[in-house]
Amino acid sequence: MKKTRTVLIILLALFWLGLAAWAWVRTPDASSNWERRKLAQMPKITTNSLFSGTFMSDFESYTQDQFPLRNGFRRLKSEFHYFVLRELDNNGIALAGDQAFQLEYPLDQASVSHALKCFQSLYDTYLQDSTVYFALVPDKAYYLAAGNGYPAMDYVDLTAQIADGTPWATHIDLTGLLSADDYYATDTHWRQEKILPVAQAICKAMGAEVPGEFATNAVERPFTGVYYGQAALPMQPDTMYLLKSDLLDDCRVYDYETGETTAVYDMTKLDSKDLYDVYLSGARSLLTIENPNAATGRELIVFRDSFGSSMVPLLANDYAKVTLVDLRYIRSDYLGKFLDFHGQDVLFLYSTLLLNNSAAIK
């Protein structure tokens, strides 16, 4: 028995020594595909960093991020905490059946107020001659949190605060048109093939022709969304679908950042870290969709977050030109340098997740 214990101790020591040696000789990873973030790198040794203590804290972050077999250990830890200790969430991500969702609680009044101040400034500066609409996109927790025993944000208060802060907009209620199944199981975003009723409701409210017929095309590569890596729990990948039509095939998208013109669905993004980037090339500050087959000369400006990437193509049917603005990547006071505001229809399309974390809005 003593000999067996000694052998086990030696093997364990060799295992950890091997991991330590591996950690020193391996090339550090720049980022984590699982967690969708950059990883800490080896800090530089300077006199100031040594005496201030920042070197040791940065070195600790580096060793935690660059430890060999890190994803496997994260998975093991997550499964132990979730299935053995029966903790209700892991890294702020909860599961309800096969659906993962972020615990978004409580309502951050100051964050919503910041967003409303930005929107008011936009309206005062550019939009007083426009007809403005506002559609609030509920996150998955709206449908899953309270019913599964998790704390839920006060969505009633949030909706009221948005309505009171934007009296110049016509508000379009989307909550009754969606359910948890209309979102990807492993991601925060809604599924494009599920949101046609939402697109139809928005178009109807704006007095535009509702979307026509679409072909539903599956993307071959499995989609593992942002929650897949953050939760580090066993989940099945999603299947992504693209809604296609002759009208969308003829549309052209101009990217103000690159100066390039692309299609509505950017198939070069099939190899990107985030497959959702196929929709309108992902995160972009300023895009314009030109629709040569529009029945009218109407124009639409959409202030949006990432939910708009898969929704806005479905709104283009009746508009000759649709401009998408993401205020996380461009300051509102710069817009006049790029856009000519002349009374276009305007839609604010924002998720509750962003409004409750609106520091990114410039």
Side-chain angles (χ1 to χ4, degrees):
M1 185 68 179
K2 183 177 180 181
K3 183 178 179 181
T4 301
R5 185 167 61 247
T6 301
V7 170
L8 288 175
I9 292 173
I10 292 174
L11 289 175
L12 183 61
L14 289 174
F15 175 73
W16 287 111
L17 286 172
L19 284 180
W22 186 5
W24 281 108
V25 300
R26 68 188 291 271
T27 301
D29 296 319
S31 61
S32 168
N33 291 340
W34 269 42
E35 299 170 80
R36 306 278 181 85
R37 69 176 181 88
K38 293 181 179 179
L39 298 177
Q41 301 298 303
M42 181 67 179
K44 292 182 179 180
I45 301 177
T46 65
T47 303
N48 182 61
S49 66
L50 286 173
F51 284 99
S52 67
T54 57
F55 173 81
M56 290 308 300
S57 61
D58 292 343
F59 181 74
E60 182 180 6
S61 298
Y62 165 75
T63 56
Q64 291 172 349
D65 275 5
Q66 302 294 344
F67 196 78
L69 305 178
R70 180 172 178 272
N71 288 335
F73 282 112
R74 287 185 68 246
R75 183 72 169 265
L76 184 63
K77 170 184 174 292
S78 298
E79 292 184 359
F80 178 77
H81 281 266
Y82 194 82
F83 296 110
V84 178
L85 300 182
R86 311 300 294 177
E87 293 183 357
L88 292 179
D89 69 279
N90 185 60
N91 300 324
I93 309 300
L95 290 182
D98 62 350
Q99 285 276 4
F101 65 98
Q102 179 176 325
L103 295 181
E104 189 64 23
Y105 174 87
L107 174 62
D108 189 334
Q109 301 277 2
S111 176
V112 179
S113 295
H114 167 72
L116 289 173
K117 288 179 181 178
C118 294
F119 299 157
Q120 185 64 52
S121 176
L122 273 173
Y123 178 76
D124 292 340
T125 307
Y126 304 114
L127 307 179
Q128 295 195 41
D129 294 330
S130 298
T131 304
V132 184
Y133 305 87
F134 199 113
L136 185 63
V137 181
D139 64 278
K140 265 198 290 187
Y142 176 86
Y143 302 99
L144 294 173
N148 288 283
Y150 295 95
M153 184 167 60
D154 190 340
Y155 291 95
V156 174
D157 192 3
L158 171 59
T159 302
Q161 191 173 351
I162 293 296
D164 291 343
T166 54
W168 31 262
T170 298
H171 290 265
I172 307 170
D173 184 10
L174 307 183
T175 54
L177 302 172
L178 293 162
S179 69
D181 292 335
D182 296 326
Y183 298 75
Y184 292 108
T186 65
D187 197 62
T188 182
H189 294 107
W190 50 21
R191 307 175 65 99
Q192 191 188 46
E193 76 278 9
K194 296 281 192 178
I195 57 174
L196 267 176
V198 177
Q200 291 167 349
I202 293 174
C203 285
K204 185 177 180 180
M206 297 191 301
E209 186 176 338
V210 298
E213 296 294 326
F214 294 92
T216 304
N217 293 22
V219 175
E220 292 185 5
R221 175 185 157 191
F223 177 40
T224 52
V226 64
Y227 297 149
Y228 187 89
Q230 289 179 354
L233 291 170
M235 288 184 281
Q236 292 298 315
D238 287 290
T239 299
M240 177 179 284
Y241 296 90
L242 307 179
L243 295 183
K244 293 193 172 184
S245 68
D246 291 340
L247 182 143
L248 288 183
D249 287 343
D250 289 341
C251 287
R252 286 295 171 261
V253 181
Y254 178 74
D255 186 337
Y256 284 78
E257 292 183 23
T258 64
E260 297 177 350
T261 299
T262 61
V264 167
Y265 301 119
D266 187 350
M267 307 311 288
T268 66
K269 299 296 185 181
L270 289 176
D271 296 325
S272 67
K273 294 179 181 178
D274 188 352
L275 195 57
Y276 190 77
D277 287 349
V278 168
Y279 298 109
L280 293 176
S281 302
R284 289 292 187 271
S285 59
L286 200 57
L287 299 173
T288 296
I289 302 175
E290 298 281 355
N291 176 13
N293 298 315
T296 74
R298 297 174 64 181
E299 297 183 17
L300 174 67
I301 298 175
V302 183
F303 293 95
R304 55 90 179 211
D305 56 21
S306 55
F307 280 81
S309 295
S310 54
M311 169 58 74
V312 173
L314 307 182
L315 308 179
N317 187 75
D318 212 27
Y319 289 97
K321 183 177 180 180
V322 181
T323 301
L324 297 90
V325 183
D326 194 331
L327 295 175
R328 294 173 298 173
Y329 307 111
I330 185 171
R331 289 169 55 98
S332 59
D333 53 356
Y334 285 176
L335 292 178
K337 299 179 180 179
F338 301 100
L339 303 181
D340 174 24
F341 292 91
H342 51 269
Q344 302 99 319
D345 289 349
V346 174
L347 172 65
F348 285 80
L349 184 67
Y350 282 101
S351 68
T352 54
L353 286 173
L354 181 62
L355 296 180
N356 208 47
N357 302 272
S358 70
I361 297 178
K362 300 182 187 303

